[in-house]
Amino acid sequence: MCRPAAEVFAALIACLWCAPCLCAAGRSQQLNYRPIIGVLAQENLPGDQLARGSSYIAASYVKYLESAGSRVIPIRINRTEEEYAKIFSSINGLLLPGGDVDIQTSEFTRAAKIFYNLALKANDAGDYFPIWGTCQGFQQLSVLTANKNLLTLTDTKAVALPLKLTPAAQSSRLFRSFPKDLLQSLAEENITSNFHSWSLSTQNYTRNAKLKRFYKVLSTNSDGKIEFISTMEAYRYPFYAVQWHPEKSPFEWIDKPGMIHSTDAVRASFYTARFFVSEAMKNHHHFSSAIDEERALIYNFSPVYAGIHAVFVQNYYFN
Ligand SMILES: *[C@@H]1O[C@H](CO)[C@@H](O)[C@H](O)[C@H]1NC(C)=O
Ligand SMILES: *[C@@H]1O[C@H](CO)[C@@H](O)[C@H](O)[C@H]1NC(C)=O
Ligand SMILES: *[C@@H]1O[C@H](CO)[C@@H](O)[C@H](O)[C@H]1NC(C)=O
């Protein structure tokens, strides 16, 4: 939309040289090598002694995206719809992190819903906008798509599991670029960290027409009694959801069962992050000015060290 004239001219010249079908694809195929992903903040955990202000982002989600070639802006809760629309038109993707808020009534949910609806509309209009949900983010996406909470309690509070990949996984957008040996490790070794009480059971997913039509299941897991969806991607939208925690392996150090720091766990973390960043590179939203962009970036905030035994080693706090 606002490429410098010279660049547009160069593109036009290039078009004279290339086949018409390539020209038609044009701009949308160019990659944005300076992507910015928004990470949604959420209400502080009850009893968080270090909390400053009303909301936080665990720094591991920021590092996770940064390590894969993206910059990050925090998206704060309790903002107006207009403010969120402006942020939406400035960023190239959205990450909904894990956490512990009410996924039907929280301010986190209110903001997630606004962005989700904006993303549906944008993608329908050919404006590629990816969303990634991790753990609570996965659950939030399921509630937004189904328009109700279909989650059930599972015994998965602190356990590492191997992904039970579905036949659809191999050809999925998310997994098809993974090295074969890494997919094999994910399928055979207990390297995906699960820290959730609630899950979307295969049964409830299958019985809900909205979810079933919207998401393709890439992996499942079980707590021994209930089989639940652990990875899914939307059929028609660049929306991705993992019930497990790829960001924890390289960036969180609480010493408890389910925390895995093996080479393949860290590789899996990187490949999921790199995949999502590569999706964000297909989006061309941008801030209205370089100054606005600079002011929005997470670099303007400092994470607070919570201690090596804390659930999150470092958190960003916001008003
Ligand atoms: C932010 O959201 C919370 C939860 O809904 C609400 O209690 C609070 O009043 C809001 N604060 C502002 C400043 O809007
Ligand atoms: C299905 O969803 C309902 C909520 O609508 C929940 O009460 C129930 O436990 C879920 N059942 C399974 C097997 O997931
Ligand atoms: C490894 O995963 C299996 C499920 O495939 C589970 O039954 C087992 O408890 C896990 N082992 C550990 C040590 O977490």
Side-chain angles (χ1 to χ4, degrees):
M1 261 169 282
C2 17
R3 277 190 294 167
E7 210 185 321
V8 173
F9 184 67
L12 284 174
I13 297 291
C15 278
L16 297 176
W17 290 91
C18 71
C21 59
L22 287 178
C23 296
R27 176 169 196 277
S28 63
Q29 289 201 341
Q30 291 181 353
L31 292 178
N32 169 5
Y33 286 106
R34 300 180 65 81
I36 296 180
I37 294 173
V39 177
L40 185 55
Q42 63 190 285
E43 285 88 342
N44 284 330
L45 289 166
D48 184 344
Q49 304 288 329
L50 297 167
R52 304 168 186 169
S54 58
S55 67
Y56 78 100
I57 292 175
S60 46
Y61 290 97
V62 175
K63 298 172 201 179
Y64 170 74
L65 293 172
E66 288 182 345
S67 71
S70 180
R71 289 166 295 164
V72 167
I73 68 149
I75 301 174
R76 294 187 245 181
I77 57 174
N78 286 56
R79 294 303 192 262
T80 65
E81 226 169 311
E82 292 69 38
E83 285 174 273
Y84 287 141
K86 191 168 176 212
I87 293 171
F88 180 79
S89 67
S90 308
I91 59 176
N92 310 116
L94 171 72
L95 186 146
L96 302 174
D100 196 18
V101 299
D102 186 310
I103 52 173
Q104 288 177 288
T105 60
S106 62
E107 282 289 322
F108 172 84
T109 296
R110 178 181 155 265
K113 185 172 187 171
I114 292 168
F115 278 91
Y116 176 84
N117 287 330
L118 288 169
L120 286 180
K121 229 160 87 186
N123 284 297
D124 285 343
D127 173 17
Y128 200 86
F129 187 93
I131 298 181
W132 182 277
T134 295
C135 196
Q136 172 181 276
F138 173 113
Q139 298 168 354
Q140 184 67 76
L141 284 171
S142 81
V143 171
L144 290 172
T145 304
N147 209 13
K148 64 182 195 194
N149 187 341
L150 290 165
L151 303 172
T152 193
L153 284 168
T154 50
D155 184 13
T156 43
K157 263 205 157 110
V159 63
L161 300 169
L163 296 179
K164 191 169 170 221
L165 297 171
T166 64
Q170 296 287 344
S171 59
S172 65
R173 298 188 302 274
L174 171 54
F175 285 134
R176 78 179 163 221
S177 65
F178 279 42
K180 289 284 164 285
D181 69 302
L182 180 58
L183 261 190
Q184 193 176 345
S185 296
L186 277 166
E188 291 174 1
E189 295 168 27
N190 289 46
I191 58 171
T192 64
S193 295
N194 285 259
F195 294 99
H196 52 106
S197 310
W198 296 94
S199 301
L200 174 61
S201 67
T202 305
Q203 189 181 88
N204 272 9
Y205 159 85
T206 308
R207 286 181 182 170
N208 185 275
K210 282 184 188 155
L211 286 177
K212 201 163 179 241
R213 271 202 304 263
F214 200 87
Y215 296 104
K216 181 195 289 188
V217 177
L218 308 187
S219 76
T220 60
N221 277 104
S222 169
D223 69 350
K225 292 197 184 100
I226 298 176
E227 188 188 68
F228 62 91
I229 317 286
S230 45
T231 312
M232 60 189 188
E233 68 182 23
Y235 285 100
R236 290 185 48 240
Y237 296 89
F239 297 174
Y240 305 89
V242 289
Q243 184 60 73
W244 45 290
H245 281 276
E247 80 292 346
K248 285 196 193 289
S249 292
F251 299 119
E252 297 292 1
W253 296 95
I254 189 172
D255 190 9
K256 69 174 181 182
M259 289 296 295
I260 306 293
H261 304 287
S262 69
T263 301
D264 280 339
V266 173
R267 280 174 80 210
S269 175
F270 174 76
Y271 274 92
T272 58
R274 184 57 200 165
F275 169 75
F276 186 58
V277 171
S278 73
E279 289 289 276
M281 286 166 61
K282 297 175 187 167
N283 179 280
H284 293 271
H285 292 182
H286 53 81
F287 282 84
S288 49
S289 72
I291 288 177
D292 281 357
E293 177 183 291
E294 193 182 348
R295 280 189 187 140
L297 291 166
I298 194 91
Y299 311 131
N300 292 288
F301 303 88
S302 299
V304 175
Y305 175 49
I308 206 70
H309 302 298
V311 176
F312 302 119
V313 169
Q314 296 178 309
N315 288 309
Y316 290 91
Y317 292 107
F318 308 95
N319 288 317

